[in-house]
Amino acid sequence: MNVMPMPRRRSFGHISVPKVTLAHGGGGKAMKDLIDDVFVSAFDNEALAPLEDQARFDLSDLARYGDRLAFTTDSFVVHPLFFPGGDIGKLAVCGSVNDLAVGGAQPLYLSCAAIVEEGVEVDLLRRIAASMAETAREAGVEIVTGDTKVVQKGACDKVFLTTTGIGVIRSNVTLGADRARAGDIVIVSGVLGDHGAAILGARGDMALDSPIESDCAPLNGLIDMLITAAPGTRAMRDATRGGVATVLNEIAEASGVSIEIDERVTPLRPEVRAFCEILGLDPLYLANEGKIVAIVPRDEADAALAALHSHPFGKNAAAIGEVKTGEPGRVIMRTVFGGNRIVDMLVGDQLPRIC
């Protein structure tokens, strides 16, 4: 059950200055006016309305969703702030929502802390806040508390965001990277590498006739469908920094198993495949912001895929491999040429500032 946003009860005017100044971080009227204009007006809801130093909830309301709390936090420093398919605001909401959902939690509430560079246009902040509010509505969550700091010009790159999320895990759901077993099937929810390729393309490093769009999306609805169809699902991760390769290595190590995947059935958009070939990148390490990796018992794999295929964010889902009893912690890919190659954990940064 999603938490529906409350209707707006107040109206907020616009501040008159076009750019953020250090006074907007000073704790006085200028700061209050900026926060009211940009953030409170966009996120307005019942839990936020008192504007206390914390959001408050009845435990009985949370307990309706399950018996365990899930809690996550992440920071977002993406460059550029706006890119095909998304922006830093959408990314921040999706990032925390998805981190909760892959643990089997129903995401409920988010906080947002913004670090803003002196001189940033107020309209840019309004666009970011509006994007966050729209994405939160799509995901069925509320942004209920936050913080704003203004730093001197040059101390950050325009805007950095930190979101923290709280959700509740249903009593019958237990997921963990240490739960994979030999014979389980490895499933991905769609084509890989779109976000990493989109960010690199948006920086102008390559002139693309048809820009690749980020896959940035809130996945809690998709994940609910997967868990309902395949209640025995062992583990789930969203394949962000380090891509699918990093996720599979983490699961193989935590579970003490090996994992074998097949390059021939690993879903890639032709544009991303060509992009990687030109730049010498491995799409397995490219970031995704709207894809999950799931480890599912073999007898539930067909049901899991059917559920994913029925959702707009999972229409290209595929089973790409299997959990094996080989060397613990080892991930192997069967290549299109018939050989095998080791898929190691990413060393260093393949693409900086992708989230």
Side-chain angles (χ1 to χ4, degrees), residues 65-317:
Y65 299 96
D67 59 359
R68 288 160 291 162
L69 282 179
F71 180 55
T72 188
T73 192
D74 208 348
S75 295
F76 300 86
V77 296
V78 68
H79 175 77
L81 296 177
F82 293 83
F83 46 84
D87 57 77
I88 191 172
K90 180 179 182 180
L91 191 64
V93 172
C94 291
S96 288
V97 164
N98 294 346
D99 281 348
L100 292 170
V102 294
Q106 169 66 55
L108 298 174
Y109 303 109
L110 302 182
S111 72
C112 172
I115 308 296
V116 183
E117 182 185 20
E118 174 191 13
V120 164
E121 296 82 1
V122 175
D123 278 344
L124 183 142
L125 291 183
R126 292 186 184 115
R127 288 176 62 196
I128 291 171
S131 178
M132 295 184 75
E134 180 182 356
T135 308
R137 285 191 292 271
E138 181 183 355
V141 300
E142 292 181 327
I143 302 171
V144 296
T145 190
D147 186 47
T148 304
K149 293 291 188 297
V150 178
V151 296
Q152 292 179 332
K153 194 169 185 63
C156 78
D157 187 2
K158 294 186 178 178
V159 179
F160 294 162
L161 296 178
T162 296
T163 49
T164 297
I166 292 178
V168 180
I169 303 174
R170 288 172 290 184
S171 58
N172 60 341
V173 174
T174 302
L175 300 171
D178 62 341
R179 295 174 58 82
R181 300 292 181 265
D184 290 345
I185 302 301
V186 179
I187 292 174
V188 295
S189 63
V191 292
L192 306 178
D194 285 3
H195 180 71
I199 294 299
L200 188 58
R203 292 184 184 135
D205 294 9
M206 292 191 66
L208 299 176
D209 293 333
S210 55
I212 299 166
E213 289 198 358
S214 169
D215 60 345
C216 186
L219 299 177
N220 46 325
L222 172 84
I223 290 169
D224 280 346
M225 293 179 66
L226 170 60
I227 291 175
T228 299
T233 298
R234 315 273 196 196
M236 204 182 305
R237 290 282 179 89
D238 53 337
T240 54
R241 284 176 297 180
V244 168
T246 296
V247 168
L248 293 178
N249 273 275
E250 290 171 348
I251 293 173
E253 182 176 352
S255 295
V257 297
S258 67
I259 294 176
E260 184 176 294
I261 60 175
D262 190 335
E263 184 177 15
R264 294 169 297 181
V265 296
T266 301
L268 285 176
R269 202 176 302 280
E271 300 94 321
V272 172
R273 189 186 303 276
F275 190 90
C276 290
E277 289 175 354
I278 292 170
L279 295 183
L281 301 175
D282 188 335
L284 290 180
Y285 295 97
L286 285 183
N288 310 270
E289 291 292 346
K291 301 297 186 304
I292 59 168
V293 177
I295 306 297
V296 178
R298 180 179 294 276
D299 60 357
E300 295 185 2
D302 288 344
L305 283 169
L308 292 172
H309 289 155
S310 70
H311 193 282
F313 296 148
K315 60 184 179 181
N316 294 309

Side-chain angles (χ1 to χ4, degrees), residues 15-75:
I15 60 176
S16 58
V17 297
K19 294 186 178 182
V20 175
T21 69
L22 289 177
H24 290 113
K29 186 177 185 302
M31 181 174 179
K32 181 182 184 304
D33 289 346
L34 178 71
I35 292 172
D36 282 350
D37 177 342
V38 173
F39 298 109
V40 178
S41 64
F43 304 155
D44 193 20
N45 58 71
E46 186 176 27
L48 177 65
L51 296 181
E52 297 287 355
D53 286 342
Q54 71 294 124
R56 303 171 185 179
F57 313 103
D58 290 334
L59 292 179
S60 58
D61 289 339
L62 298 179
R64 290 184 295 128
Y65 299 96
D67 59 359
R68 288 160 291 162
L69 282 179
F71 180 55
T72 188
T73 192
D74 208 348
S75 295

